[in-house]
Amino acid sequence: MLHRYYDMICVAFTGNTATPGEVTFELDSYLATAVGGYTKQQFIDDIQELKSKGQHVILSVGGANGRITIDSEEAADKFASTLSKIIKKFGFEGVDIDLEGAAVSGTAYIARGLRKVHNEFGDDFIITMAPETYYMHKADDLTGAYFRLATEIKDILTICYPQFYNAGGDIGYNNFNARYPSQSFITSLATMYIENGLRPDQLAIGVPALPSGAGSGYISIDNLKEVVNSLVYKKPLDGFTPPREYKTLRGVMTWSINWDATQNYVWAKSMSELMNNLPVVEGGVKRPEYNIDDNNNDDSNNNNNKTNNDDNKDQQDVGDIPGWKSSNVYIAGDKVVYNGKIYQASWWTRGDNPKEQEEVGPWKYIGQASGNDNNNNNNNDQQGVGDVPAWNSSIAYFSGDKVVYNGKIYQASWWTKGENPEEQDELGPWKYIGDVSNNTN
């Protein structure tokens, strides 16, 4: 069995058929024979044993030889249905997206498929990503495909561990010249991913366990420790200094466990020690915790000062927008009123005070609850025209969905909820396709 130093084991890889989106998975017959006739039932039993020890086992889709295509709603639905069957059959707890090259170009459809699978298994379902750094830019073209996917499913994304290997020179945070391979290549790009929208606890550092584990990009254990400490403590390293401390960063990934096993798991042992020695963070941005006991009033929760307790008081509703409540769970797109201001959740959150949140917190200020008629009017639901429905702030839209807003027709490029077509960011989900008057028959 695998060493307990690994918290999560990602089984690689799925296969595919000629049908777009269809996922397959079977044990490798050659390897099964090589280890003495390893059976499917033994594999299922081993997964259950790992889970009983508190380790998580997920299934990776793609890989360097993966040829799956998810480029339509039909393919997305096929992906979701076939993947779900495999997960149930073998007992996996989640899925890792490791599509490479142009396979990740169908961002909106991949997101649609992942949401369907997530909705079937619930909030404990694990979703991870292992993108090549080339595709992690904040851009509209293929170089931004993976980052668009990460931000599109941010509310259900567990962790993203970019492959900081088999890469090349790049431009990091604040136009930093990220030489490859180097420590600053990792720190500057990791900083860029966080500052562009990922939470620190949603990012992990992906590196090979041994020099032979990848074509290039190996980093020694000691140098990797310095990289993690630079990001967590804002330490200068190799010519780059992060703009802030990312104290909730908690992940490292390696390709692969098999390579690490040849060296008696020295990589895993070192990384486990490193992670365990990072400071305990109270408050701030955390990975979503489910099944929380609302009646758990331990001393750590009662030691807040009076100012913090006052700030955490529940708020009053204003019109259709509810007041923020510390005990409520909010997901991406939800709006709340806090101290006369309207905030919108960028991802899953519970108990994060909109006023006291960290700089990279979940709440985005979008306007005043009173005295800001323009903002309130912009968020009012609209009138539909013909077969095109009106935009509604409470409805989730998928890629290809059309809506009417203020006499204009918009089409969703990916999943979205509560994002006003006129007030969206520059890289927002809505694409203007014409005026209502020009599109009526």
Side-chain angles (χ1 to χ4, degrees):
M1 294 299 289
L2 297 176
H3 206 288
R4 286 293 303 275
Y5 287 116
Y6 284 100
D7 298 309
M8 185 165 65
I9 296 94
C10 187
V11 177
F13 290 105
T14 60
N16 60 277
T17 70
T19 301
E22 186 168 21
V23 182
T24 63
F25 179 76
E26 293 295 339
L27 296 182
D28 187 290
S29 58
Y30 173 80
L31 292 177
T33 301
V35 296
Y38 191 61
T39 68
K40 184 181 300 182
Q41 188 57 53
Q42 286 176 308
F43 179 65
I44 293 173
D45 292 343
D46 282 345
I47 290 176
Q48 293 304 315
E49 184 176 346
L50 287 167
K51 290 161 63 176
S52 72
K53 295 178 179 179
Q55 293 169 283
H56 302 285
V57 186
I58 66 175
L59 179 63
S60 185
V61 175
N65 295 320
R67 295 293 181 266
I68 188 169
T69 301
I70 308 172
D71 58 0
S72 67
E73 291 185 359
E74 292 76 16
D77 293 344
K78 175 65 73 172
F79 170 72
S81 63
T82 54
L83 179 61
S84 295
K85 290 179 181 178
I86 295 170
I87 289 170
K88 293 174 182 176
K89 179 178 180 179
F90 290 94
F92 293 113
E93 296 174 272
V95 62
D96 168 63
I97 301 301
D98 191 10
L99 301 174
E100 299 189 5
V104 77
S105 60
T107 301
Y109 302 112
I110 299 170
R112 175 190 174 96
L114 289 173
R115 286 196 179 276
K116 289 177 74 72
V117 178
H118 169 269
N119 291 342
E120 178 173 355
F121 290 99
D123 287 333
D124 287 332
F125 188 73
I126 298 169
I127 298 178
T128 69
M129 299 167 53
E132 297 169 285
T133 57
Y134 178 81
Y135 302 100
M136 280 290 286
H137 292 265
K138 193 173 184 180
D140 287 328
D141 58 17
L142 187 59
T143 64
Y146 246 117
F147 191 78
R148 290 197 303 275
L149 177 60
T151 54
E152 187 169 339
I153 63 167
K154 183 175 178 176
D155 57 309
I156 60 173
L157 175 65
T158 309
I159 197 162
C160 173
Y161 28 77
Q163 301 174 29
F164 292 100
Y165 53 94
N166 292 341
D170 212 326
I171 302 299
Y173 174 71
N174 205 20
N175 292 320
F176 181 83
N177 181 18
R179 297 172 293 104
Y180 175 83
S182 67
Q183 289 173 301
S184 58
F185 174 80
I186 300 176
T187 56
S188 66
L189 289 181
T191 296
M192 180 173 69
Y193 305 149
I194 294 172
E195 294 299 320
N196 281 347
L198 291 181
R199 301 192 312 269
D201 69 282
Q202 281 183 310
L203 186 74
I205 309 300
V207 295
L210 299 173
S212 51
S216 64
Y218 172 75
I219 179 172
S220 71
I221 289 174
D222 287 340
N223 283 352
L224 181 54
K225 289 179 178 179
E226 291 180 350
V227 164
V228 171
N229 286 325
S230 172
L231 291 166
V232 172
Y233 299 108
K234 191 186 173 182
K235 289 185 176 182
L237 179 66
D238 191 27
F240 179 81
T241 304
R244 69 191 89 254
E245 295 179 338
Y246 302 123
K247 291 186 177 180
T248 55
L249 188 146
R250 282 295 183 279
V252 283
M253 176 276 284
T254 193
W255 178 267
S256 64
I257 294 177
N258 292 343
W259 285 111
D260 193 26
T262 66
Q263 302 298 314
N264 196 29
Y265 300 105
V266 64
W267 189 93
K269 294 175 183 177
S270 300
M271 291 303 104
S272 179
E273 180 182 3
L274 173 64
M275 294 293 109
N276 289 337
N277 286 334
L278 291 176
V280 176
V281 178
E282 296 183 3
V285 180
K286 303 174 184 174
R287 181 181 300 176
E289 300 264 338
Y290 301 99
N291 300 320
I292 299 173
D293 182 3
D294 289 330
N295 297 316
N296 182 14
N297 294 317
D298 58 24
D299 290 339
S300 64
N301 289 332
N302 292 327
N303 285 334
N304 294 326
N305 57 39
K306 289 185 178 180
T307 300
N308 188 62
N309 287 335
D310 289 341
D311 285 338
N312 282 326
K313 285 183 178 178
D314 293 343
Q315 303 289 304
Q316 297 297 314
D317 298 351
V318 175
D320 294 332
I321 304 176
W324 176 82
K325 289 180 172 56
S326 58
S327 62
N328 282 5
V329 169
Y330 300 98
I331 63 173
D334 287 346
K335 296 186 181 73
V336 298
V337 174
Y338 187 88
N339 283 356
K341 297 179 180 179
I342 301 174
Y343 295 86
Q344 186 174 46
S346 298
W347 56 81
W348 189 102
T349 177
R350 182 184 187 185
D352 286 302
N353 183 309
K355 178 182 176 183
E356 299 297 327
Q357 66 181 340
E358 288 190 352
E359 196 164 350
V360 192
W363 292 108
K364 176 183 178 182
Y365 169 71
I366 60 174
Q368 295 291 326
S370 61
N372 191 352
D373 294 335
N374 289 335
N375 186 77
N376 290 334
N377 289 336
N378 283 344
N379 284 316
N380 285 338
D381 296 337
Q382 305 285 305
Q383 296 297 316
V385 176
D387 294 332
V388 184
W391 176 79
N392 188 308
S393 58
S394 63
I395 292 178
Y397 298 97
F398 292 91
S399 174
D401 288 345
K402 294 188 179 77
V403 298
V404 173
Y405 190 87
N406 282 353
K408 297 178 180 179
I409 299 176
Y410 295 86
Q411 186 173 45
S413 298
W414 54 80
W415 186 96
T416 177
K417 180 183 178 182
E419 294 187 77
N420 184 310
E422 287 189 350
E423 300 295 330
Q424 65 182 341
D425 293 334
E426 187 175 354
L427 298 178
W430 292 108
K431 178 182 179 182
Y432 167 71
I433 61 174
D435 292 336
V436 169
S437 59
N438 296 329
N439 285 273
T440 55
N441 294 325

